[in-house]
Amino acid sequence: MQGKLPARVSLPRPQPCPGYPGAALVCDTMGLLFLALLLPLAHVSALPFYNGFYYSNSPHDQNPGNGYGEGLFNRVKLVVETPEETLFSYQGANVTLPCRYHYKPALVSPRPMRIKWWKLSENGALDEDVLVAIGLRHRSFGDYRGRVYLWQDEDNKVSLEIQDLRLEDSGRYRCEVIDGLEDESSLVELELRGVVFPYQPRQGRYQLNFYEAQQACEGQAAVVASFEQLFRAWEEGLDWCNAGWLQDASVRYPITLARQPCGGLELAPGVRSYGPRHRRLYRYDVFCFAAALKGQVYYLQHPEKLTLEEAKDACQEDGAQIAKVGQLFAAWKFRGLDHCDAGWLADGSVRYPVVHPRPKCGPPEPGVRSFGFPDPQSRKYGVYCYRPR
């Protein structure tokens, strides 16, 4: 066998590309080109692969004159900063949510950014878009349209201003900075100054499913309270033995003085929880949150006691409207409204606010006293009116 030539190896002839008869040369050329493009990668070790792109970590690939090159290829880190403390404001006010970004290390030249602000959901719903900006082009969404503005400057500030604050604006906001394939974000928490109060309708205790609870609070110039708001109210002394819905569809109640009918003596004071409940099947009371007012709540001086309908008419004749429960609580909490005369409110309940307890004016603690829901035809009470500013 010595001297015998090895068997001849025959290479397959180029095959025509499917659907293109006679194009073998083109198909073969494309294949060789593809191999040529892949060969350099065989000599590169441990290239990181993200989102379909290879990134070089070599310091020799720097491009100081191009901002994109700096951020994408040189281990430049994007940092977004917002305040850690909660921001507080009032209904109807304007507030700015601070946010700024920078790079570590700093870039030689700036680059265009996409900025997005959105509000995080508290009750399982979708997050709510607030504003998106690319350069000088801004777009706001939903109920924020026409009320939000982006403040930008040379120091990379991208703060959000919200004007004419509403109750539903309270919550957590995310500031996101998007730079090509990289994005970073940070949270800002906004809370409106307000007061939490328990509410039950004329029908009595535990009559509201979650959606009816939302409507009940809205009807009283309020919104369903969050857990954080209820917890802060408990820290300030709120003690209530009836369980109520909260914004996240959980059911809780605050106890400052442990007692047998309210969870037992063995449990420490705190915000007791029934946990999440089915939003339609279960029925409880609700904890509402009313923000500080821009208008005025007052007890109408009238020569006679009034029925509910007469009370509504009397407020209108005085250039006002009959007050809602949330407005009375807010006036008591933030304006120091103190009056020992019981008066009608818009929901047909009768209440009166006491800041300085005194004899013949109810219990020894400050609060808004309630007479429940008397007969609307009864002429035993006055009326509390609300005049917007």
Side-chain angles (χ1 to χ4, degrees), residues 33 101 180 199-200 290 312:
L33 180 60
Y101 67 90
Y199 186 80
Q200 59 181 226
K312 294 178 180 179

Side-chain angles (χ1 to χ4, degrees), residues 164-214:
D164 189 21
L165 279 174
R166 303 173 182 175
L167 281 171
E168 56 270 23
D169 293 339
S170 182
R172 293 182 298 160
Y173 291 79
R174 185 176 294 278
C175 172
E176 182 180 26
V177 179
I178 304 165
D179 172 10
L181 297 175
E182 184 177 5
D183 68 274
E184 290 294 339
S185 64
S186 188
L187 290 176
V188 182
E189 185 164 358
L190 171 65
E191 186 169 322
L192 271 65
R193 296 281 186 186
V195 56
V196 173
F197 62 93
Y199 186 80
Q200 59 181 226
R202 175 181 292 274
Q203 292 81 4
R205 184 173 181 260
Y206 292 177
Q207 297 295 315
L208 304 171
N209 65 27
F210 178 74
Y211 302 104
E212 293 165 344
Q214 288 180 314

